[in-house]
Amino acid sequence: MLSKLKTVSPVILVAGIVLIIVVSAIFLIIKQFQSSNILYLGDGTAFDVKIAYTEEERVKGYGRVEVITEKDALLLAFPSDDYWKITMKDMELPIDIVWLDKDKKVVYIVKQAPFEGGAGTIYTPKVKARYVVEMKAGSVDRKKITIGRSAVFDINKDDIK
């Protein structure tokens, strides 16, 4: 019986170490996809903002999200200035969309972009932007967000892909 314990113990030890490594890796991956930060915009209100650094995260946006609170926002961070388009495909509810330039100034706004049950309406700014903020419909008016106002947020530019 003692010989069986000697052979089982290293196997259990290795399995435990592998399990810890896998769980740690999963935690780090989830944390990366749920980067959270604070965004100040409009009347100075602080939004709890998630940052979409990758193409996959930006394409998903708020698609399939069923609840957005008044404090929630999603910041889509792009690697360069362009006419970044936002589609309402897969949206479950209306949103306000705000485009910001590289200096974090509001350059274009769409209010109450309706969800269309999977249809792909596309919104395109009239000027180039670096960032796009998606938020609960009505936030632009409630928070007094206007063209020319600056946003304040921290971002790790090295993470933008």
Side-chain angles (χ1 to χ4, degrees):
M1 175 123 181
L2 187 57
S3 65
K4 286 185 181 180
L5 285 177
K6 288 181 182 178
T7 59
V8 172
S9 294
V11 171
I12 291 174
L13 180 62
V14 169
I17 291 170
V18 168
L19 181 63
I20 289 170
I21 292 170
V22 168
V23 168
S24 298
I26 290 170
F27 176 76
L28 290 173
I29 289 168
I30 289 171
K31 187 173 179 177
Q32 179 182 354
F33 281 109
Q34 295 184 348
S35 297
S36 188
N37 208 334
I38 301 295
L39 164 73
Y40 297 95
L41 184 60
D43 62 5
T45 299
F47 288 92
D48 294 326
V49 67
K50 288 193 167 90
I51 303 171
Y53 285 106
T54 67
E55 181 67 16
E56 180 182 0
E57 294 169 327
R58 291 187 295 265
V59 167
K60 181 181 178 201
Y62 267 144
R64 306 226 187 271
V65 172
E66 295 180 3
V67 176
I68 302 172
T69 71
E70 290 194 20
K71 293 205 53 102
D72 292 336
L74 177 65
L75 176 70
L76 311 177
F78 292 92
S80 62
D81 297 335
D82 208 338
Y83 297 95
W84 298 110
K85 298 175 182 183
I86 300 299
T87 179
M88 296 303 287
K89 185 177 182 313
D90 297 329
M91 293 299 294
E92 302 286 334
L93 39 98
I95 59 172
D96 286 350
I97 309 167
V98 177
W99 283 261
L100 309 170
D101 67 12
K102 66 180 176 1
D103 297 321
K104 303 178 184 175
K105 288 193 188 229
V106 176
V107 294
Y108 194 74
I109 297 172
V110 171
K111 299 180 195 178
Q112 303 281 337
F115 71 101
E116 300 168 13
T121 300
I122 297 172
Y123 295 95
T124 306
K126 297 195 184 314
V127 296
K128 289 183 177 184
R130 176 76 53 97
Y131 307 101
V132 179
V133 181
E134 296 180 355
M135 61 192 74
K136 183 176 183 160
S139 296
V140 166
D141 288 336
R142 278 192 307 277
K143 309 301 183 187
K144 299 175 180 46
I145 299 169
T146 57
I147 303 290
R149 293 204 73 170
S150 292
V152 177
F153 57 89
D154 290 322
I155 194 163
N156 186 351
K157 293 181 181 186
D158 293 335
D159 289 341
I160 301 172
K161 298 181 175 49

